[in-house]
Amino acid sequence: MNDSPASKIVGVGRALGSRVVSNRDFEATLDTTEEWISSRTGISERRFVGEDENCATLAIEASREALKHAGATGESVDLIVCATSTAPESMPSVACLVGEAIGAAGVGAFDLAAACTGFSYAASVADAMLCSERASRVLLIGADAMSTIVDQTDRSTAVLFGDGAGAVLLDRSDDPSGFVDHILGADGRMAPLGRAGHPGDEHKLYQNGREVFKFAVRILPEMVEKLLSRNHISLDDVQYIIPHQANARIIQAAARKMEVPDEKIVVNLDRFGNTSAASIPLSYPDIFDGLESGRYVITVGFGFGLTWAANLYRI
Ligand code: UT7
């Protein structure tokens, strides 16, 4: 386990695309049904960005909400890390745009790309910066506008994804609450299993859904077990597991393997679809007020690359 200081979550916020798209909406444009989508994925609806929105506007909105929730100002932030793969432009980074919007100009700001695993990667970086005293207050964001890189005529991917951003404000703290451990992994030999271009590119998202599915069901329990065993805690000590939200069947199969009761698993994909790097932090506002001091939250994800990562957080 880490020695103090720790990186403690002091504020959470989220933003979603303004267009609500239901499964039935896809029946009009694609050879699909509400029944196929809900039974194969668990998704009922997702949110797409509207005309004047993109990944950066969502990241800004979520960040403002997290600051407000913490009662903090943008000027007090000294590092901004944004996990994303759908920045509206390659340059500037989304993190720079967030810094400008919240009045934190002049502080370090960068994006980090690890596909759907991005938030867990970024959390480990933010934690390292705080614990090594290179930062004292970090704005950590996961933001993706997946509708800008998905082929809306491809039924096998169009129905899966959504647009959102989740932000958490992290403070260096001397109390025991904060990140305790992280796992990071990647294997580029599996890159062909999922690829996508930038927003606006011809090269839209492709995935081998079945293979990614199998990989996810294997890797999620492996990471959780590793975190538990090397930190000498049990599932009873864990209040919540927040998995990456790709498919309800992946989450259920992984939960069965781990023998985790449903109430410990946090789910948002029914409302938001797969929001890639935003999928995990979008859950924080749903659970934050009910977190029980002394227990743990595990965040655990996987994504293209393939990449995988997990974080253990002591409440
Ligand atoms: O977060 C990033 C990483 N990505 C993932 O985690 C994705 C993981 N994989 C999955 O979630 C699932 O594999 C999918 C949801 C992508 C697909 O579910 P599946 O149960 O693995 O279906 P499948 O790909 O084996 O396709 C079954 C059938 C196919 O038809 P045939 O070949 O059996 O005639 C597909 O063409 O379902 C068809 N299909 C659809 N039918 C109606 C695929 N998409 C649709 C659709 N509506 N939207």
Side-chain angles (χ1 to χ4, degrees):
M1 286 196 196
N2 284 351
D3 294 321
S4 56
S7 319
K8 179 178 180 162
I9 300 176
V10 295
V12 299
R14 74 177 168 210
L16 295 152
S18 60
R19 283 173 56 208
V20 181
V21 182
S22 71
N23 293 348
R24 289 244 179 268
D25 291 332
F26 283 113
E27 290 182 344
T29 53
L30 296 172
D31 180 16
T32 191
T33 59
E34 197 289 322
E35 200 277 331
W36 192 97
I37 302 169
S38 55
S39 65
R40 293 289 183 116
T41 71
I43 299 165
S44 302
E45 63 179 38
R46 73 289 291 139
R47 309 284 291 263
F48 285 175
V49 285
E51 287 262 301
D52 300 324
E53 297 168 333
N54 56 43
C55 169
T57 66
L58 296 178
I60 290 167
E61 194 184 330
S63 299
R64 287 191 172 128
E65 198 178 295
L67 288 167
K68 189 170 166 208
H69 182 230
T73 62
E75 290 82 8
S76 67
V77 170
D78 58 11
L79 181 68
I80 302 168
V81 185
C82 181
T84 185
S85 304
T86 55
E89 300 170 283
S90 303
M91 295 170 267
S93 68
V94 170
C96 281
L97 300 173
V98 170
E100 194 275 325
I102 65 168
V107 304
F110 64 94
D111 289 358
L112 180 157
C116 298
T117 318
F119 183 81
S120 288
Y121 263 71
S124 79
V125 173
D127 182 36
M129 293 297 279
L130 282 161
C131 290
S132 61
E133 307 202 2
R134 285 172 175 81
S136 59
R137 172 166 282 177
V138 181
L139 186 57
L140 166 64
I141 310 156
D144 269 310
M146 296 301 285
S147 68
T148 62
I149 59 165
V150 167
D151 178 357
Q152 295 300 334
T153 66
D154 173 7
R155 70 174 183 174
S156 71
T157 53
V159 302
L160 304 176
F161 294 93
D163 303 341
V168 303
L169 192 66
L170 289 173
D171 271 5
R172 191 165 64 227
S173 127
D174 287 326
D175 73 39
S177 174
F179 283 107
V180 174
D181 197 6
H182 307 272
I183 294 171
L184 303 184
D187 188 343
R189 287 173 299 182
M190 292 185 279
L193 296 183
R195 314 189 89 104
H198 293 111
D201 283 0
E202 288 288 294
H203 167 39
K204 298 295 183 191
L205 186 142
Y206 159 82
Q207 69 174 353
N208 181 332
R210 275 186 203 183
E211 288 306 314
V212 178
F213 191 113
K214 283 192 264 177
F215 174 81
V217 172
R218 177 172 67 76
I219 202 77
L220 292 174
E222 266 182 37
M223 286 191 280
V224 170
E225 276 153 28
K226 196 186 241 181
L227 281 179
L228 295 177
S229 75
R230 75 187 189 189
N231 290 282
H232 313 293
I233 58 171
S234 77
L235 270 176
D236 291 339
D237 302 312
V238 176
Q239 187 181 0
Y240 289 118
I241 297 176
I242 312 178
H244 170 51
Q245 310 280 313
N247 188 318
R249 290 186 296 134
I250 292 176
I251 295 173
Q252 283 152 8
R256 264 199 306 277
K257 268 192 172 183
M258 296 182 285
E259 298 181 10
V260 183
D262 286 351
E263 60 272 17
K264 269 196 211 285
I265 307 271
V266 185
V267 173
N268 66 47
L269 62 76
D270 51 329
R271 293 165 285 159
F272 307 147
N274 179 348
T275 51
S276 192
S279 90
I280 286 174
L282 278 177
S283 278
Y284 277 117
D286 291 332
I287 60 164
F288 194 76
D289 289 343
L291 292 178
E292 294 165 9
S293 176
R295 300 187 76 195
Y296 292 85
V297 174
I298 291 178
T299 41
V300 58
F302 61 93
F304 293 174
L306 293 185
T307 50
W308 59 95
N311 323 93
L312 180 66
Y313 182 89
R314 186 185 152 103
I315 303 164

